[in-house]
Amino acid sequence: MSYYAIDSGTVGGMMQYLGQLQSRYRSESSKIVPLRSAVRRVFRSIYEQNWEDVAVRDIDLDNIMGSFRETSGNDFGPATFTAYQSRISRAINWYMHYLEDNDWSPFGDAEVELGALNRLLNGSYHMGAVQARENAAEMVQYPFPLSDGSMVTLQLPKCLSSVDADRLKTFISSLVTGRK
């Protein structure tokens, strides 16, 4: 692999950016590694040795994925193609944001939002739970204010295990867009 400046605007620069994110946000590595893997696999298969030279601004992702389908034949199922396209699209989106603003990060607000969620789940965040209608699962609704002032309601079982709380935290963290 050749060295590409992180701000080169190439696929190689995008890989440098994703690598930097992975180093800086180790806890988010599970979100970054699949992006890097998809970019590497798809672009290498189409452009071979010159895959890192491709200008990101010129990428036509539908065309790239069509070429990838043709070159890979029956090696991958439709779900894999969809996943790769989604991951590459996300990587391009993140990188383009970064090129416009070098301080931008997709994980910019993650710690603040997850900190509030942690307080809610461990009971130190008192929002005045409202008992939902009686049902077999004994669900409780928790109103929760977001940082933009809007209000959401979490409907959770009355007895939530620490395993499910961790799973819920992981799920919600996967929804973070990084926009402030």
Side-chain angles (χ1 to χ4, degrees):
M1 178 168 125
S2 304
Y3 177 78
Y4 289 82
I6 196 168
D7 61 353
S8 66
T10 63
V11 171
M14 181 168 63
M15 292 296 285
Q16 291 290 335
Y17 168 69
L18 293 170
Q20 181 184 52
L21 280 179
Q22 190 174 348
S23 295
R24 184 179 296 158
Y25 299 99
R26 292 190 189 282
S27 65
E28 304 295 341
S29 190
S30 65
K31 296 175 190 167
I32 300 166
V33 170
L35 304 184
R36 293 184 79 195
S37 177
V39 168
R40 184 179 296 111
R41 180 169 295 218
V42 170
F43 282 87
R44 254 191 195 163
S45 77
I46 296 167
Y47 295 100
E48 297 175 357
Q49 289 97 0
N50 301 324
W51 70 277
E52 293 174 300
D53 296 335
V54 176
V56 173
R57 293 183 197 284
D58 297 337
I59 291 174
D60 176 347
L61 191 52
D62 290 331
N63 189 25
I64 298 262
M65 292 308 295
S67 297
F68 181 63
R69 264 191 201 93
E70 289 175 17
T71 60
S72 61
N74 293 329
D75 292 344
F76 304 102
T80 302
F81 286 112
T82 301
Y84 280 178
Q85 184 161 5
S86 173
R87 292 169 184 168
I88 293 169
S89 177
R90 185 173 313 128
I92 291 170
N93 184 323
W94 289 2
Y95 185 55
M96 296 304 287
H97 275 95
Y98 169 79
L99 290 176
E100 292 172 16
D101 174 7
N102 290 359
D103 293 328
W104 185 85
S105 165
F107 309 113
D109 289 340
E111 290 180 12
V112 173
E113 292 173 81
L114 289 178
L117 180 61
N118 285 332
R119 289 190 303 277
L120 173 66
L121 293 177
N122 73 23
S124 63
Y125 200 105
H126 301 287
M127 293 300 297
V130 178
Q131 181 67 40
R133 64 185 157 92
E134 291 295 323
N135 61 23
E138 294 187 39
M139 302 298 279
V140 178
Q141 293 183 356
Y142 297 92
F144 185 81
L146 297 179
S147 59
D148 68 359
S150 61
M151 188 70 106
V152 296
T153 302
L154 297 172
Q155 183 172 341
L156 302 169
K158 186 175 181 180
C159 296
L160 185 67
S161 71
S162 62
V163 170
D164 285 334
D166 287 340
R167 290 180 61 230
L168 183 59
K169 180 174 75 172
T170 300
F171 170 72
I172 290 177
S173 70
S174 74
L175 303 175
V176 174
T177 62
R179 300 208 189 264
K180 294 182 179 182

